[in-house]
Amino acid sequence: MTRKEARESAVRLCFAMAENPTEPQTLLGQIYDSEYYSTLCAEDELYAVCPDDRQLDYITRLVTGVSEHAAELDGYIEKYSVGWKFGRISRIASAIMRVAMFEVLYMPDIPDKAAINEAVELAKSYESPETAPFINGLLGSFYREETGGMGDGR
């Protein structure tokens, strides 16, 4: 599993938690149970390769962190979604943005621009064509305003 696939898996889990509130550790335990996980590969190629310990740690950090900071992250989405009410933004788009924002704010080992770029690429896969530019613009504004847009070399 690549970092990109691990990020996509985390986005899906964050989406699942928004749809059906569940404790992150409970959801992670269910999904990554070896017997259950092996059944997923027949349904979706994202699950063809089981994450190694490093990737599972990354996914766990994202899912747990997004859950713990959900209100803060949603506040940023609302703040930077000019002309859009939070309720009008799809849940998958919200999950994508939450993951990217969490990476920018709380994961210094992840390059900020990579987090934003991957969010835009995920949006292209999961959303309508106009959503990717919306997410790019929102995350760009968030990045510039909340971090000073200084490109810290990460």
Side-chain angles (χ1 to χ4, degrees), residues 117-134:
N117 184 59
E118 288 296 325
V120 172
E121 292 304 312
L122 278 168
K124 290 176 184 176
S125 297
Y126 285 92
E127 287 288 342
S128 61
E130 62 274 1
T131 303
F134 168 75

Side-chain angles (χ1 to χ4, degrees), residues 93-113:
S94 295
I96 290 168
M97 290 186 285
R98 286 181 192 122
V99 166
M101 290 174 169
F102 182 79
E103 286 181 309
V104 167
L105 293 171
Y106 297 105
M107 296 181 75
D109 55 318
I110 305 298
D112 296 340
K113 291 179 183 179

Side-chain angles (χ1 to χ4, degrees), residues 50-61:
C50 193
D52 63 24
D53 289 342
R54 185 171 165 215
Q55 294 154 340
L56 189 55
D57 178 62
Y58 170 69
I59 293 167
T60 300
R61 287 171 55 205

Side-chain angles (χ1 to χ4, degrees), residues 79-93:
K79 178 179 178 179
Y80 293 105
S81 59
V82 178
W84 284 77
K85 294 284 185 199
F86 184 79
R88 287 187 58 209
I89 299 170
S90 78
R91 289 189 177 160
I92 192 69

